[in-house]
Amino acid sequence: MAAARRRAAVGLGLAGGACLLLGVCLLLAGPAIVKEQVVKNVRIDPSSISFGMWKDIPVPFYLSVHLFEVLNPTEVLDGAKPILRQRGPYVYREFRYKTNITFHDNDTVSYLEYRKLFFRPDLSNGTEDEYIVMPNILMLGASVMMENLPNFVKLLLSGALAGLKQEAFMNRTVGDILWGYDDPLLDTINMIVPGLIPFKGKFGMFVGFNNSNTGLFTVYTGMKNISRVHMVDSWNGLKKVNYWRSTGCNMINGTAGEMWPPFMSPTSLEFYSPDACRSMTLVYEQSGEFKGVPTYRFVAPKTLFANGTDYPPNEGFCPCRQSGIQNVSTCRLNAPMFISHPHFYNADPSLVNAVEGLNPSKEHHALFLDVHPVGGLALMTGIPMNCSIKLQLNQYLKQVSGIIQTGKITPVVLPLLWFAESGNIEGSVLNQFYTNLVLIPSILDYLQYIFLGLSVPLIISAAVLTMMSQRPTDEKSLCNPTTPSTPPQLSETTPLLQDTSTSCQDAAEA
């Protein structure tokens, strides 16, 4: 019996020691194992699981466009407040893919990313053939751009506008407004003021957006330094742009907006947006979950489009108007265009009050980006799981003396349209991502505590069995002494006869 207990004690002790060793090893080495897997799978390398996602983005992206129809164009020309009605959304399936991928010796890779858009009538509220009354963007924009030119030039343009039957507001189809229409005004303007609008062909809000690229990006691959992966080295060969009035505003910071370096602190994300002609910073809002995958949500701070008075670092983006809109004329051919959040969300209330029909809300108009962190290990892979980037295009309208077509328009920043580019990981991509970067790290995280937890009762059980196996041996030695011993001294309290039969019998049986 004692031998069996000793054998059991040894087995339990070995098992407990093994569990303790495995638990300690996982506790110490687990984060390193997960980090190695993350590094291997997020860097820009053909062997990484994210390379295919990076090259030919499998995530279904959708471009949803809302147009603002002007319901009282005649009254606006007389100085009345514009009354707007939101139309749409007009939804397009967006496909993105990279070409001209070239790896360089300095740990960077260059590429052109193209996007193709296909109209989805089943997801849209309306068709591209619908007519909508909107400002004559080209005519009114050219009028403001010519405001400071000599009067005879403006009168010449006004006469040309009359001859071409151009009016301040137009009634055109959604397709024409977005993707372009032939307008003889382009040639006329360039004839009167050469180079004022230096392009030919169709004019539309998204002309050049479809079947086009976003410029030549050169980003770090992370092969030598994972903390730089996806960070932009240059855009169109530039380390900084020259649209703005300060060095800080001209900096090309962050990534191209697709992925971010792993293991970064969840405080803010930066990316360069060619559409906005600037780098943009999003700030951490809260942790959450997307289809079982933990996420960190990043949103736009209120200072993103604040003017230089309310937020001095934005002074370089001026000349500024109210907070909540950004003047992008310097990167839009000097046209009086502004970007903002939809419905002037987070903007100065005076912008919302200058028109009727806007209802800004966080739920519908705030942009967000949900990025994956690695659960309990507090590491972030930097891969977006769910996003919706929303921007609004606005035009500054006013009466321009000498151009009678502008009537008596009260100066106003008028919303033209807003759009959302949205997408999320799903299907096989989500399953692969979940297994490699969520499930496996979580299993390793739990196993370390399971092994440590098992080691405690196993080691305690081994110790107890060891003590129990030693006790009968001691009792046997009392009954069968092998060496002479000195007889015990009797005392008054020592019994003359002691019944040892029971204990010796028990020892013998043992």
Side-chain angles (χ1 to χ4, degrees), residues 168-220:
F169 292 89
M170 60 184 185
N171 187 18
R172 290 191 176 274
T173 65
V174 172
D176 285 346
I177 294 168
L178 295 181
W179 309 116
Y181 54 91
D182 292 313
D183 196 331
L185 182 59
L186 268 176
D187 294 333
T188 302
I189 292 174
N190 284 322
M191 181 179 65
I192 297 174
V193 184
L196 184 68
I197 305 178
F199 67 86
K200 296 181 180 180
K202 292 185 175 183
F203 175 81
M205 297 299 293
F206 286 167
V207 164
F209 190 85
N210 198 5
N211 294 313
S212 64
N213 63 74
T214 55
L216 182 67
F217 273 98
T218 301
V219 302
Y220 287 93

Side-chain angles (χ1 to χ4, degrees), residues 9 15 60 101 285-286 335 339 376 382 404 507:
I101 299 174
E285 182 186 50
Q286 62 185 14
I339 59 173
I404 61 174

Side-chain angles (χ1 to χ4, degrees), residues 112-127:
L112 292 172
E113 182 172 275
Y114 284 81
R115 49 194 171 194
K116 289 185 177 181
L117 298 166
F118 298 90
F119 184 60
R120 289 288 302 270
D122 57 314
L123 300 177
S124 303
N125 182 23
T127 70

